[in-house]
Amino acid sequence: EKATISLGVADLANSYKLWQDQAFRMNSGSDLLFTAAALKLVAAGVLPSLTTAIPAAFLPRGVTNFYNPSYTSISITLEMLMRHTSTLTDTNFDSYRQAASSGSVANFVTFCETYFTTSSSGSYSAAQNIWSTLTPGSATSFAYARTNTALLAYIVNAAILGTPTLVTGTTKDVAGYIQEQIIAPLGLSSTFRKGTDGAFPTTSLPSGEPIYTGLPVVDISSAGAVKTDSYIHPAYPADYMFYSTTENLARLARSLFIETNGLFAAPGAQMKLSPLVVTSSSSVRLGQLMQSYGLTYYSGNYLCNLVYGSMSGITCALTDSHTIWGSYAVGLQNMWGYFCITVSSVTTCTTVMLHYYETSTARSPNLILGAAALSLSDAVSSSSSSGGQSSQSSTTYDEGLTGLWVALGVCLVIVFVLAAAYFTEYIVQPAPVPSGIVAAPPPIPQAYGHLEQPNVMGNYGDSGMSFYHD
């Protein structure tokens, strides 16, 4: 089954309703774009294999001794960066963050050269204070760090600079490559990044309506006031700067993990290969069992316990025997994630975004893990009841995508209790979806207002939504 559900508002001050095409920060989840790009270049022979030492030509300032100083015999590889087992840390990463009102940040290359290298007697080497004491590449060394994504993107950037014909346009860098090879071919028109001055790329956004494709959700401070400033960071591939929508992310997930002959089927298959059983107890992400190339594998039992717990008479269809993969990213204003499962050769993916008042400490990702559990459990149950046959139309745009879009407005206070989240403020409004798509059950019984806005899905079909709930 497939559904799109939008809850709350996108602009608290003006009471604009939250739509499916509302853009959120991708936070550190932008690593999905750069992992896919790197894998394409590995397959093309432009970058070295995943398990060989990264040549100096691709490293900041061409350092030849880029390794953890405690393990000088272990070379850092692309696999380590993608699996987050390189032992790089985010030490001082956020110190490069600044308010957009303070002016432009340094460019990406300058940041990487400053952060990852140090100078001594006129020569450069790997910085000493950016590593953990763990053994690089081991099962015990997993620790998610945005610096892995930043360095991976720098390596892709160096490959583009070395082979500029990889980009046909004038922007011959990693940003240009991502635009030409991923965003444009997949029609991700609502996926973009801020400039180094914190400005949005207004030339790529439609105008004339208060709610339109690509319009970012308005941030709200912890006191409930509209924020007129925002954070920016020079390491734009790793955090803060990229925006997207659940619809765009669903397209990307579909191309990576569902379409067997899609543009990104090959890197999508590669991303799932050779998952590493994670044993670093202090750094394991909530519900995590394994880590692959940019992907986390989750415990079905953990996801079920989030929303069903010990409730009698209710059975969750997910177990640890199911292979569940995806990723999530949590920021000060929002969190998002995508999660996939394959049952009887049918793959279902769901994307979830939540937006909230600004917080000084990160909220628990259990909020979106629980929402994903509801959708994926329903997918397993549907597969079982249909004998493992897919009931999805082959002519529907987002075939194979549950597309559960739980985008909670900034006004919402969210608490997971028993089977789902209780939403304490705004009455919700369903987002437009293509006709013929059946909605997955919302998290809890709700009263939904009539759909008032025109269809924003364009040629994907007339708006229509069928909700059912307990």
Side-chain angles (χ1 to χ4, degrees):
E1 295 182 350
K2 293 163 281 185
T4 301
I5 302 174
S6 146
L7 312 175
V9 296
D11 184 340
L12 186 61
N14 296 296
S15 297
Y16 295 150
K17 296 169 184 176
L18 190 61
W19 280 37
Q20 172 184 352
D21 284 354
Q22 222 70 46
F24 294 78
R25 285 184 189 84
M26 293 182 73
N27 301 322
S28 59
S30 51
D31 62 353
L32 178 62
L33 297 169
F34 296 92
T35 299
L39 288 171
K40 281 178 65 68
L41 292 177
V42 170
V46 177
L47 287 177
S49 72
L50 297 177
T51 57
T52 60
I54 301 168
F58 297 112
L59 293 170
R61 289 194 168 112
V63 296
T64 57
N65 53 350
F66 194 83
Y67 42 64
N68 184 320
S70 298
Y71 301 92
T72 57
S73 62
I74 302 178
S75 298
I76 302 302
T77 66
L78 291 174
E79 179 178 78
M80 294 179 190
L81 297 178
M82 294 180 188
R83 283 180 168 178
H84 293 268
T85 59
S86 69
T87 67
L88 283 168
T89 68
D90 281 343
T91 301
N92 296 325
F93 180 87
D94 284 322
S95 67
Y96 290 84
R97 179 188 72 185
Q98 68 181 48
S101 59
S102 299
S104 298
V105 292
N107 67 51
F108 174 56
V109 171
T110 300
F111 164 82
C112 289
E113 291 177 344
T114 303
Y115 188 91
F116 290 110
T117 68
T118 186
S119 175
S120 177
S121 301
S123 62
Y124 289 100
S125 61
Q128 301 292 295
N129 64 339
I130 57 175
W131 309 89
S132 74
T133 58
L134 301 173
T135 305
S138 68
T140 60
S141 66
F142 171 81
Y144 189 93
R146 292 164 291 179
T147 49
N148 285 302
T149 302
L151 183 56
L152 182 66
Y154 181 93
I155 292 167
V156 173
N157 191 72
I160 304 304
L161 295 178
T163 312
T165 54
L166 290 169
V167 177
T168 60
T170 58
T171 307
K172 295 185 181 297
D173 58 13
V174 62
Y177 186 80
I178 293 292
Q179 180 67 37
E180 285 191 10
Q181 296 296 318
I182 299 179
I183 293 177
L186 293 180
L188 308 183
S189 60
S190 296
T191 299
F192 53 88
R193 68 178 176 92
K194 287 184 174 181
T196 56
D197 60 353
F200 289 108
T202 53
T203 55
S204 67
L205 304 181
S207 61
E209 295 294 332
I211 301 294
Y212 51 81
T213 300
L215 177 68
V217 172
V218 175
D219 291 332
I220 302 297
S221 71
S222 58
V226 173
K227 287 179 63 67
T228 58
D229 207 350
S230 63
Y231 289 123
I232 54 178
H233 197 287
Y236 68 84
D239 203 355
Y240 295 106
M241 306 289 272
F242 261 94
Y243 283 70
S244 190
T245 67
T246 49
E247 190 274 340
N248 273 200
L249 294 170
R251 288 185 186 224
L252 181 55
R254 181 178 191 261
S255 184
L256 285 167
F257 308 122
I258 295 176
E259 292 180 327
T260 56
N261 296 314
L263 289 173
F264 296 93
Q270 183 77 21
M271 290 174 71
K272 295 190 291 181
L273 291 180
S274 307
L276 180 71
V277 177
V278 174
T279 60
S280 52
S281 58
S282 62
S283 301
V284 171
R285 310 185 90 186
L286 293 177
Q288 182 178 23
L289 294 176
M290 298 182 290
Q291 180 72 23
S292 187
Y293 305 132
L295 295 178
T296 298
Y297 284 74
Y298 296 95
S299 162
N301 292 340
Y302 181 89
L303 297 182
C304 277
N305 286 334
L306 283 177
V307 289
Y308 296 102
S310 58
M311 296 176 65
S312 60
I314 298 179
T315 301
C316 178
L318 300 178
T319 69
D320 282 353
S321 65
H322 293 110
T323 302
I324 304 169
W325 72 91
S327 189
Y328 63 77
V330 179
L332 301 181
Q333 298 281 357
N334 71 291
M335 66 179 73
W336 76 274
Y338 67 95
F339 309 91
C340 303
I341 188 171
T342 298
V343 182
S344 301
S345 300
V346 177
T347 297
T348 298
C349 294
T350 185
T351 57
V352 185
M353 283 197 186
L354 310 179
H355 196 270
Y356 38 78
Y357 286 176
E358 184 176 44
T359 61
S360 57
T361 57
R363 293 175 182 250
S364 171
N366 280 341
L367 294 168
I368 52 175
L369 290 173
L374 290 167
S375 179
L376 298 182
S377 178
D378 182 69
V380 173
S381 299
S382 298
S383 176
S384 299
S385 63
S386 62
Q389 299 299 314
S390 172
S391 60
Q392 297 156 7
S393 168
S394 61
T395 60
T396 303
Y397 150 67
D398 53 355
E399 177 186 0
L401 289 177
T402 299
L404 175 63
W405 190 56
V406 185
L408 304 183
V410 294
C411 57
L412 296 178
V413 178
I414 310 162
V415 182
F416 255 82
V417 179
L418 299 177
Y422 282 83
F423 308 115
T424 62
E425 296 187 21
Y426 284 68
I427 298 297
V428 300
Q429 196 79 354
V433 297
S435 59
I437 292 182
V438 180
I444 57 172
Q446 291 279 355
Y448 291 89
H450 178 69
L451 181 63
E452 298 172 349
Q453 296 92 342
N455 175 31
V456 297
M457 293 296 291
N459 58 8
Y460 298 144
D462 294 334
S463 61
M465 175 68 78
S466 172
F467 287 92
Y468 65 96
H469 44 77
D470 296 334

